[in-house]
Amino acid sequence: GDSQKAIDLLDQAVAMDPDYAAAWAARAQAYCTFAHSGGGIPTELFTQAEPDLEKALAIDETNVTALTVRGMINRDYYWNLPAAYRDLERAVALDPNATLAHRVLAGAYYQDGRFAEALAEGKKAADLNPTGRWDKWFLAEYQAATGSRQEAIESLLHLAEIEPKFQPTY
């Protein structure tokens, strides 16, 4: 689908300019999106993304997309939260408006039982992406985890009202 098309186009971009850090980072992100959406075997896709991340970060060590995706892989594949925090906290420090970095960092905090921090990061992601249904859904999950169950229910009811076909809400 879209991720494979993105990978094909990004292959062309890096073939034309092997020093284009943003293209290497976006290519890695496409592999991770593919893995998270059931587009292939996650272990293979994450493994394919890693060399692209290393190339992107060798060219530009401040590439927020590459740091975010490496944080995601450390969180979801290696279960290495200290390494994930290192990359994700650096990504949000470099670009406080990076929605994906806030979303992935919130998830890392949540996995680690740091629910108040997950809620704070989840709020940032939802504020940056006010139409993002996944950000709204995760925010409700973090509200519930911090004991704000009524607020979480209200958030989900609102999400069901504005996105009635978004199945995870139910």
Side-chain angles (χ1 to χ4, degrees):
D2 291 340
S3 291
Q4 187 56 56
K5 185 176 181 178
I7 290 168
D8 293 342
L9 291 171
L10 291 161
D11 282 346
Q12 293 174 31
V14 297
M16 288 189 286
D17 183 358
D19 292 328
Y20 188 23
W24 287 112
R27 191 171 183 272
Q29 183 178 5
Y31 279 119
C32 287
T33 299
F34 214 31
H36 281 102
S37 63
I41 300 167
T43 54
E44 291 177 10
L45 294 167
F46 286 137
T47 301
Q48 285 179 283
E50 286 181 306
D52 294 347
L53 293 175
E54 297 313 314
K55 287 175 187 168
L57 291 166
I59 297 163
D60 176 7
E61 65 184 23
T62 65
N63 185 287
V64 172
T65 301
L67 290 166
T68 300
V69 173
R70 189 168 69 180
M72 185 187 307
I73 290 173
N74 279 318
R75 183 192 75 179
D76 297 344
Y77 181 56
Y78 293 113
W79 291 82
N80 182 345
L81 289 176
Y85 290 142
R86 179 197 67 225
D87 289 330
L88 295 167
E89 289 170 353
R90 184 158 183 239
V92 298
L94 288 165
D95 182 359
N97 295 319
T99 304
L100 182 61
H102 287 290
R103 182 185 309 141
V104 177
L105 181 56
Y109 287 142
Y110 183 80
Q111 283 179 1
D112 207 11
R114 295 166 62 176
F115 301 132
E117 290 162 288
L119 179 59
E121 287 299 321
K123 282 181 180 178
K124 289 176 188 171
D127 287 347
L128 289 166
N129 188 18
T131 61
R133 57 189 182 185
W134 280 108
D135 292 312
K136 291 180 185 321
W137 187 83
F138 286 127
L139 182 60
E141 187 172 354
Y142 306 146
Q143 290 166 331
T146 58
S148 301
R149 287 181 173 75
Q150 188 58 40
E151 191 178 3
I153 290 168
E154 290 169 12
S155 294
L156 289 172
L157 289 172
H158 179 68
L159 182 55
E161 183 181 317
I162 62 173
E163 290 277 352
K165 294 182 180 182
F166 185 56
Q167 292 300 313
T169 305
Y170 304 98

